[in-house]
Amino acid sequence: MAGRPGIAAVTPRITLLAISGSLRAASSNSAIVEAAVLAAPPEIEVHLYRELASLPPFNPDLEAVETPEPVAEWRAALRAASAVLISSPEYAHGVPGVLKNALDWVVGSGEFMGKPVALVNASAYSAFVTTQLRETLTVMMATVVVATALPLEGRPSVAGDVVAQPAARDALAAVLTQLAQHAASQAN
C-alpha cells in the first residue's frame, strides 16, 4: 500500500488476449500480435489466440444441442482477458470473414460487453476495416480504447521484425499501455 514504509504498491496484472484477423502464415498482422508479447510492459500478460480457423461457421442452431467446443474455448479465452488487442487486415474494404465469424459467435453471449479493446493494423491504407470493427464491437458493447495503424516499414512477417523497428515497437507499447490503463481503471 502506498504511504506505508516497507510495503510496495502492487500494480494490477492485466491479461490481454491478442487476436490476428489473418490466417496467413506470413501475416504482418499476426506478427503485430506476436510482437505484443515482446513489447508489453511487465504488468501486461499477453495471450495469443490462434484458433480462429477452428471455429465453425456461425450458426445459432448448433447451440440448441451443445455449444461447439472451439466456440466454448473462444468464449472462455475472452472471459479470462482483462482487455483485447485485435490486429486485422482489410479484405475487399471489409473485415476478414474468419474474424467476423468469431465475433458473430459472441454477439449473444456477451464476452465483449464492457471489454476494453484496441484495434491496430499493419497498413495506414486499411480505413474500412477499422470503422467496421469499431461499429461491430460498439454494438457488442465493447469499449474501443484506441484504433491505429502501426508505423511499419515494409511487410514484417515475424514479431522480431516488428520490434526491431523503434517507431513500430514504441507505438505498439503505447497502445498496450493505454489499453492496460483503461482495463486497470475499470477494475478499480
Side-chain angles (χ1 to χ4, degrees):
M1 296 189 178
R4 292 181 55 191
I7 299 177
V10 176
T11 303
R13 188 119 175 111
I14 301 299
T15 304
L16 177 76
L17 186 63
I19 305 159
S20 172
S22 177
L23 299 181
R24 289 184 59 225
S27 163
S28 294
N29 288 285
S30 294
I32 289 170
V33 297
E34 291 165 3
V37 175
L38 303 173
E43 68 274 9
I44 302 174
E45 182 178 341
V46 179
H47 296 271
L48 301 176
Y49 183 78
R50 301 177 189 259
E51 302 302 322
L52 287 183
S54 71
L55 295 170
F58 176 66
N59 179 350
D61 291 342
L62 293 176
E63 292 192 282
V65 176
E66 183 178 356
T67 301
E69 188 63 28
V71 173
E73 291 170 358
W74 163 233
R75 290 174 176 168
L78 285 167
R79 280 192 303 275
S82 309
V84 177
L85 171 71
I86 300 174
S87 184
S88 182
E90 181 175 300
Y91 294 155
H93 284 189
V95 177
V98 69
L99 180 57
K100 181 63 169 80
N101 181 59
L103 295 175
D104 287 344
W105 274 112
V106 294
V107 168
S109 55
E111 285 77 12
F112 272 100
M113 191 174 297
K115 188 82 67 181
V117 178
L119 303 174
V120 297
N121 60 53
S123 173
Y125 299 108
S126 295
F128 296 98
V129 70
T130 301
T131 302
Q132 290 175 15
L133 281 171
R134 183 187 295 271
E135 175 65 20
T136 299
L137 290 163
T138 299
V139 166
M140 296 167 71
M141 299 179 72
T143 303
V144 178
V145 175
V146 62
T148 190
L150 294 185
L152 295 172
E153 297 173 18
R155 298 182 62 129
S157 60
V158 295
D161 292 345
V162 174
V163 296
Q165 298 179 29
R169 180 191 61 237
D170 294 348
L172 181 56
V175 166
L176 297 173
T177 299
Q178 188 175 355
L179 190 56
Q181 288 171 342
H182 191 86
S185 72
Q186 282 188 319
N188 294 333

